[in-house]
């Protein structure tokens, strides 16, 4: 609310956050991330009166990016390209049956992620891949902070309770890091 | 159904599932900015005046109408507190501060005065971070309670003290280590902590959520108060594991940015994430 962000301030916001938005999009689509990043900031400029507090703007931009990705997927579906896209998508967001076969660590994790609901999967991605705080997560999901925390809790529980993840963590003492 | 507790190991597994994404380089950033800038300059601006008017009305509403001062005597101190219990719960106790007011920096310094920092240099860094976070806010746009601000400053002070503790633990400077331990363990009594979180808690709560099938389900989750982690932190600094202290801070204190934790960099959650 209040005075609009100036063009100079908007450029500072862009330069502070563009790499993160690029990363967000490149982890979620094989489409042209550059086009989408440009559109994210074009939308953000048009809606600059709606920008949240500075510390929450990165998360708000992720929400815009997520909505654009959905719109892009709808467009691709209409154009018959979605099959190719899903086959090539790096995040493996198809169904559980689509998960990579095998017993290797990467395959196990990918299958477990696939078995989560789309909402749970995205909550974990936002917090772990994009390093959102619970307050930022609330902005990205457009929900109240308490709801965001609950969703995060449930997503983490769902992932941790996956039988293959339990076996992986238990069998090797989670030799990660 | 019993569930398995999620641990840091599980987050690491999720992190491993992140597809490799090439980082945008400067030329990418500049090229896209050029496209965005063209879009910005093409946009008609005929509704701008209306938006400014609406924003002014909204800001007045937030503060009950009387605290939106004219630009010539704007102050961060509004004299207004939480309007109801929900406002208190979500926004914190104390006076609402206008973070876009020209004297906000002075007010942050005043509010930090009774919060112990190891050095005035660390205090200055903490204040600078607070101001940086709201650098785009204009007068009358955004508000923060003194309770929330002071709690964040307390978090920052604990980052700095933990950094001092880590440095002293490494070097064997027992006097400095003892001072840091005593300060950190006294943090639960700091007014800035007590005002916001007088009785730190960790407890199971129940919630309801509507599933995709429309059915409402009840579930249980753990809820922890802002400074619940202080008990664990106070216990950890009695030991000598710097990683253990870093883990507690990284998971519970979001303000341990690099300048505040030179002696314990892994207290910065971003550093820890980058190591994965």
């Amino acid at each position: 609310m209040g005075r609009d962000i100036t063009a100079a301030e908007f450029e500072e916001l862009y330069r502070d956050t563009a790499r993160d938005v690029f990363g967000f999009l490149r982890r979620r689509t094989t489409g042209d991330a550059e086009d989408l990043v440009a559109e994210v900031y074009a939308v953000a400029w048009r809606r600059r009166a709606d920008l949240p507090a500075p510390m929450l703007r990165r998360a708000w931009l992720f929400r815009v990016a997520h909505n654009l990705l959905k719109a892009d997927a709808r467009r691709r579906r209409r154009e018959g390209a979605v099959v190719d896209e899903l086959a090539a998508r790096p995040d493996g967001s198809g169904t559980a049956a689509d998960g990579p076969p095998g017993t290797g660590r990467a395959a196990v994790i990918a299958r477990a992620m696939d078995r989560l609901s789309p909402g749970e999967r995205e909550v974990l991605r936002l917090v772990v891949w994009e390093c959102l705080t619970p307050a930022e997560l609330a902005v990205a999901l457009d929900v109240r902070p308490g709801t965001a925390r609950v969703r995060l809790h449930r997503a983490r529980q769902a992932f941790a309770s996956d039988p293959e993840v339990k076996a992986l963590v238990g069998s090797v003492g989670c030799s990660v890091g | 159904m019993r569930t398995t507790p999620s641990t840091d190991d599980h987050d690491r597994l999720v992190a491993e599932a992140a597809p490799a994404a090439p980082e945008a380089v400067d030329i990418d950033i500049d090229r896209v900015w050029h496209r965005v800038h063209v879009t910005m300059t093409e946009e008609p601006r005929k509704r701008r005046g209306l938006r400014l008017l609406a924003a002014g009305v909204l800001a007045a509403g937030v503060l009950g109408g009387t605290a939106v001062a004219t630009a010539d005597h704007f102050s961060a101190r509004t004299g207004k507190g939480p309007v109801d219990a929900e406002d208190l719960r979500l926004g914190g106790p104390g006076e609402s501060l206008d973070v876009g007011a020209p004297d906000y920096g002075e007010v942050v310094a005043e509010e930090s005065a009774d919060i112990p920092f190891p050095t005035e240099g660390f205090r200055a860094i903490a204040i600078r971070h607070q101001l940086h976070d709201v650098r785009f806010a204009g007068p009358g746009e955004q508000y923060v309670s003194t309770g929330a601000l002071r709690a964040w400053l307390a978090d920052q002070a604990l980052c700095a003290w933990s950094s001092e503790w880590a440095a002293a633990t490494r070097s064997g400077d027992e006097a400095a280590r003892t001072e840091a331990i005593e300060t950190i363990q006294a943090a639960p009594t700091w007014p800035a902590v007590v005002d916001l979180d007088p009785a730190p808690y960790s407890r199971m709560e129940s919630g309801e959520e509507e599933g995709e099938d429309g059915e409402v389900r009840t579930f249980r989750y753990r809820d922890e108060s802002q400074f619940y982690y202080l008990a664990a932190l106070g216990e950890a600094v009695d030991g000598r594991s710097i990683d253990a202290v870093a883990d507690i801070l990284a998971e519970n204190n979001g303000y341990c940015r690099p300048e505040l934790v030179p002696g314990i960099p892994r207290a910065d959650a971003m550093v820890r994430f980058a190591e994965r």
Side-chain angles (χ1 to χ4, degrees):
Chain A
M1 58 182 159
R3 139 183 108 73
D4 281 352
I5 188 171
T6 66
E9 290 166 344
F10 189 77
E11 181 174 1
E12 189 175 357
L13 171 65
Y14 169 84
R15 294 195 180 278
D16 282 349
T17 55
R19 280 181 174 77
D20 290 343
V21 174
F22 259 107
F24 176 95
L25 289 165
R26 283 176 170 165
R27 281 187 280 275
R28 287 165 174 77
T29 182
T30 55
D32 188 340
E34 197 166 302
D35 277 349
L36 286 165
V37 173
E39 186 59 23
V40 166
Y41 287 92
V43 169
W45 176 250
R46 286 198 297 273
R47 292 183 52 198
R48 58 193 179 277
D50 300 329
L51 282 169
M55 64 284 275
L56 299 175
R57 286 177 180 167
R58 188 173 67 109
W60 188 87
L61 291 166
F62 288 164
R63 188 166 92 210
V64 172
H66 182 74
N67 289 338
L68 289 174
L69 275 176
K70 287 198 294 187
D72 192 49
R74 283 195 295 272
R75 179 184 62 76
R76 284 162 175 264
R77 195 175 298 119
R78 281 197 302 274
E79 293 172 1
V82 72
V83 174
D84 293 339
E85 162 68 9
L86 281 173
R89 186 173 292 178
D91 61 12
S93 59
T95 64
D98 297 330
T103 56
R105 179 187 187 81
V108 167
I109 299 169
R111 283 198 299 271
M113 290 290 282
D114 286 349
R115 282 190 286 270
L116 298 175
S117 72
E120 289 169 340
R121 193 160 52 230
E122 185 60 16
V123 163
L124 290 183
R125 289 172 177 166
L126 285 167
V127 170
V128 180
W129 294 4
E130 316 303 341
C131 299
L132 294 196
T133 65
E136 289 175 317
L137 179 65
V139 171
L141 300 178
D142 197 18
V143 298
R144 292 167 65 92
T147 304
R149 289 176 66 187
V150 169
R151 288 191 185 176
L152 172 59
H153 173 75
R154 300 199 76 193
R156 280 181 160 149
Q157 289 273 319
F159 182 76
S161 301
D162 185 280
E164 281 199 293
V165 170
K166 287 167 78 170
L168 179 66
V169 172
S171 65
V172 297
C174 197
S175 56
V176 294
Chain B
M1 185 181 73
R2 282 180 65 84
T3 55
T4 303
S6 177
T7 67
D8 199 47
D9 287 339
H10 294 102
D11 275 3
R12 288 180 191 165
L13 293 177
V14 175
E16 283 184 32
E23 186 170 344
V25 295
D26 287 348
I27 194 168
D28 298 327
I29 301 294
D30 290 341
R31 188 170 54 243
V32 174
W33 172 249
H34 177 72
R35 294 171 60 179
V36 174
H37 191 252
V38 168
T39 306
M40 290 164 64
T41 53
E42 285 173 347
E43 185 206 17
R45 303 180 63 80
K46 60 188 177 185
R47 291 181 61 82
R48 183 177 171 82
L50 178 62
R51 191 157 48 231
L52 280 171
L53 175 63
V57 171
L58 184 54
V62 167
L63 287 178
T66 58
V68 178
T70 54
D72 56 346
H73 51 276
F74 240 124
S75 169
R77 294 203 182 275
T78 66
K80 300 284 182 180
V83 296
D84 56 26
E86 181 77 346
D87 192 15
L88 175 64
R89 188 176 69 82
L90 295 175
E95 182 182 12
S96 281
L97 301 176
D98 179 347
V99 304
D103 64 346
Y104 183 63
E106 295 165 29
V107 171
V108 174
E110 289 166 11
E111 293 292 336
S112 84
D114 70 326
I115 298 169
F117 280 83
T119 67
E120 287 309 299
F122 275 125
R123 184 187 306 279
I125 291 168
I127 292 170
R128 193 164 68 239
H129 286 171
Q130 292 296 335
L131 299 181
H132 182 80
D133 283 348
V134 296
R135 62 194 182 283
F136 292 132
E141 291 180 347
Q142 294 159 21
Y143 299 88
V144 64
S145 70
T146 52
L149 171 65
R150 284 165 52 73
W152 296 333
L153 287 162
D155 271 333
Q156 291 173 292
L158 286 159
C159 298
W161 278 110
S162 297
S163 179
E164 296 290 278
W165 169 87
T169 298
R170 268 194 213 94
S171 68
D173 182 345
E174 288 303 315
R177 185 179 136 83
T178 300
E179 182 187 11
I181 291 171
E182 289 175 354
T183 306
I184 290 167
Q185 291 181 340
T189 66
W190 295 354
V193 171
V194 174
D195 288 350
L196 189 84
D197 194 3
Y201 62 84
S202 173
R203 62 193 177 212
M204 296 304 293
E205 298 278 6
S206 295
E208 289 186 340
E209 186 175 67
E210 187 175 325
E212 292 176 3
D213 57 1
E215 188 177 338
V216 176
R217 297 179 179 84
T218 301
F219 57 91
R220 302 270 290 163
Y221 63 97
R222 181 162 296 283
D223 188 29
E224 291 183 352
S225 63
Q226 171 98 7
F227 287 111
Y228 178 73
Y229 79 95
L230 292 187
L233 183 64
E235 195 172 315
V237 293
D238 263 338
R240 290 185 175 270
S241 170
I242 292 172
D243 278 351
V245 171
D247 285 348
I248 291 168
L249 290 170
E251 289 168 12
N252 297 283
N253 178 327
Y255 270 106
C256 292
R257 295 176 188 171
E259 288 176 287
L260 284 173
V261 286
I264 186 168
R266 290 184 72 253
D268 177 359
M270 294 300 287
V271 169
R272 207 168 63 135
F273 181 79
E275 291 174 350
R276 288 173 179 172

